[in-house]
Amino acid sequence: MKKDIFISIIVLLTLTVSCNPNHQTTMKENPQSRWEEQLEAEMPLLGHRNWIVVTDMAYPLQSAPGIETLYADEDFETVLTKVKASIDSVPHVFAHVYHDQEMDFLTDSIAPGIGKAREIVSQLYGKEAKSMVHEDIITKLDKASKLYKILIIKTPLTIPYTSVFLELDCKYWSAERQQQLDELMRK
């Protein structure tokens, strides 16, 4: 009798959770749309000093409180293109673009596919993309995550040193204008 009651309770709880309209979708249920929905929901909230990072599969799951990691089950080029389009479509931020300096030195014989990845970054960002040693970028992210949000989007790409780091900045207020304001305030 107790066993039947226990089984009934388990079944009832399972049905309640699965039929609940407020039950949140997990990344396993639909990772592709979840990352895009999350990005679109957060774009109006992100501002200068926030970062968006599009990474390869081996990029570590960072544990700093300011870092959120999403998984996009789409190819690297598609994800990077969608992230760029999202940033370009908003009126308040643009991105300073960095990639791993190590990417510049790798060849397809050492890291098959690196040439295509380099070409994708170049086609999307051209000379805007600056290279920086991977560990130096990670240090910048770690420092920024103490005060600001970092959104990392991992892709299934399995080529090393292909991460693209997008440091957001204010689109409608330039460094030159800030310098002018600083000079006015010092007078």
Side-chain angles (χ1 to χ4, degrees), residues 7-45:
I7 291 173
S8 296
I9 291 172
I10 296 297
V11 169
L12 183 60
L13 286 173
T14 302
L15 288 172
T16 301
V17 169
S18 64
C19 294
N20 182 349
N22 294 324
H23 175 70
Q24 292 185 342
T25 303
T26 65
M27 288 194 316
K28 289 181 183 176
E29 291 170 358
N30 195 352
Q32 185 172 344
S33 66
R34 183 185 184 288
W35 82 265
E36 288 181 79
E37 289 170 9
Q38 190 73 25
L39 177 64
E40 291 309 310
E42 292 198 24
M43 276 310 297
L45 303 174

Side-chain angles (χ1 to χ4, degrees), residues 14-157:
T14 302
L15 288 172
T16 301
V17 169
S18 64
C19 294
N20 182 349
N22 294 324
H23 175 70
Q24 292 185 342
T25 303
T26 65
M27 288 194 316
K28 289 181 183 176
E29 291 170 358
N30 195 352
Q32 185 172 344
S33 66
R34 183 185 184 288
W35 82 265
E36 288 181 79
E37 289 170 9
Q38 190 73 25
L39 177 64
E40 291 309 310
E42 292 198 24
M43 276 310 297
L45 303 174
L46 297 174
H48 74 290
R49 300 183 184 166
N50 291 125
W51 290 70
I52 300 173
V53 184
V54 179
T55 72
D56 61 273
M57 194 67 175
Y59 191 88
L61 182 59
Q62 292 178 268
S63 61
I67 297 178
E68 178 181 5
T69 301
L70 304 174
Y71 179 68
D73 194 16
E74 294 185 76
D75 67 86
F76 178 75
E77 182 175 10
T78 299
V79 173
L80 195 56
T81 300
K82 288 179 178 181
V83 168
K84 182 180 186 323
S86 182
I87 293 170
D88 290 348
S89 73
V90 297
H92 65 292
V93 291
F94 73 97
H96 298 283
V97 183
Y98 305 96
H99 66 83
D100 295 323
Q101 188 174 35
E102 292 85 345
M103 179 193 281
D104 298 337
F105 294 92
L106 289 171
T107 63
D108 282 319
S109 63
I110 298 172
I114 194 72
K116 176 68 174 162
R118 197 172 25 245
E119 184 181 309
I120 290 165
V121 173
S122 179
Q123 285 175 352
L124 287 172
Y125 292 106
K127 295 181 184 205
E128 291 176 54
K130 308 292 183 221
S131 64
M132 186 182 288
V133 175
H134 181 76
E135 285 305 315
D136 292 345
I137 299 174
I138 298 299
T139 300
K140 283 181 73 132
L141 282 181
D142 180 55
K143 183 178 177 185
S145 72
K146 290 174 177 35
L147 294 174
Y148 307 105
K149 174 126 185 194
I150 312 296
L151 184 62
I152 296 174
I153 305 170
K154 287 183 76 160
T155 71
L157 183 66

